[in-house]
Amino acid sequence: MKALVFHGLGRAAWEDVADPGIQEATDAIVRVDAVTICGTDLHILKGDVPEVRPGTVLGHEAVGEIVEVGSDVRTVRPGDRVLLSCITACGRCRFCREGMYGQCRDGGGWILGHLIDGTQAEYVRVPHADLSTHLLPGALESKDAVLLADIFPTAYEVGVLNGRVRPGDTVVVVGAGPIGLAAIATARFFAPEKIIAVDLAPGRLDAAKHLGADAVAVAGDEAEQLTADLTQGLGADVVIEAVGVPESFETCTRMVRPGGHVANVGVHGKPATLHLEDLWNKNVTITTGLVDTHSTPTLLRMMAAGHLPASSMVTHTFPLDAMEEAYDVFSGAADTGALKVVLGGPQHDALTVRMP
């Protein structure tokens, strides 16, 4: 088969690799119908995730069709159309029993495209398939459903839920890329008074307004002043960091009010300074986290009901074999205006009714 293989710092290629096969009785083999590229994939290419070894197939988000299952798989079978979660869960270890699937200690957590071959391929092996795949209704288009593999649950769980967004809050989202936009969309579930989006790119700020931001600002002094003006100098109740660079994290800690929450979602490749000399007496809560995807079934129902604006986030589509071109477009977002790029994605117009 063909797959996008990581070859070290800044290098990846769409090339021939061996077909995946069943290795454990809990595995499934999935034919990939639609896949997308994540900002974390760019972090891997930049060397920010050193655990990824050369020779690994990249990618951790996909929609596809089950073609083979191991003898212990019970909830899916060949022919099922499924969403592949970015997080693999055994369901048995201590962390899985607590719903912390991202910390799974029995061959799970974030492993696809990280510790084992991932989804940017024609076929992929999915360990622990019973808990790591989700059946999809036929009416849900693949290019929309694939956004539920990572960005929506990440933004919702690590940003909105960890940040404890509540009705009437002022929420600042620093970074209006795909994760930040998904945080804006899902923060609206909780009826905040206002959402402020911060970014450097005018196109992304426009997208933020389209998805529900009440105000936007260019990153820097303008954003901090706008937040102060809109909160009578108190600061934001919740600030969500969705960039992953030291400057953006430090900006978030300056914009939060006493007693507020900073929810870090961004993937950081460098140390960031925690200014405790300013924060020690402000009762600020700072959270970090890897997504657990416990919210995926809920978000799937919300999308199927038309309550998640997925289609507007997909700006570019490609055939699966245009992977290298898609990476160029996604990594050059400042020039191309790319938000999410989706490769593949056949249409499904009829509901699939599956009997138990």
Side-chain angles (χ1 to χ4, degrees), residues 191-308:
E193 179 187 3
K194 60 180 72 75
I195 299 175
I196 304 167
V198 177
D199 204 282
L200 292 170
R204 291 190 168 191
L205 293 177
D206 288 341
K209 287 187 284 187
H210 177 73
L211 286 169
D214 300 290
V216 299
V218 175
D221 293 341
E222 175 186 328
E224 295 185 39
Q225 186 60 54
L226 177 64
T227 300
D229 291 344
L230 292 179
T231 60
Q232 293 75 50
L234 292 178
D237 301 286
V238 181
V239 186
I240 297 173
E241 199 285 337
V243 181
V245 298
E247 295 80 8
S248 64
F249 175 78
E250 292 168 31
T251 294
C252 290
T253 62
R254 289 194 296 270
M255 289 195 292
V256 69
R257 68 164 173 83
H261 289 76
V262 175
N264 183 87
V265 188
V267 177
H268 288 265
K270 297 178 181 178
T273 301
L274 180 62
H275 288 283
L276 286 177
E277 74 278 12
D278 298 323
L279 295 170
W280 71 271
N281 63 345
K282 292 186 177 179
N283 294 29
V284 170
T285 299
I286 298 174
T287 57
T288 66
L290 176 66
V291 64
D292 294 311
T293 66
H294 61 74
S295 68
T296 301
T298 298
L299 294 172
L300 179 55
R301 293 193 299 273
M302 295 289 283
M303 181 176 285
H307 298 310
L308 282 180

Side-chain angles (χ1 to χ4, degrees), residues 69-87:
V69 296
S71 59
D72 286 348
V73 175
R74 297 288 182 264
T75 62
V76 292
R77 60 192 183 211
D80 284 342
R81 180 169 168 259
V82 295
L83 168 72
L84 276 61
S85 175
C86 67
I87 297 296

Side-chain angles (χ1 to χ4, degrees), residues 14 22 41 171 175 233 266 282:
W14 181 253
I22 298 291
D41 298 319
V171 179
K282 292 186 177 179

Side-chain angles (χ1 to χ4, degrees), residues 13 16 30 34 67 72 109 129 133 145 178 185 244 252 262 274 302 305 314 317-319 345:
D16 291 320
V30 177
V67 296
D72 286 348
T133 62
C252 290
V262 175
L274 180 62
M302 295 289 283
V314 178
T317 57
F318 299 87

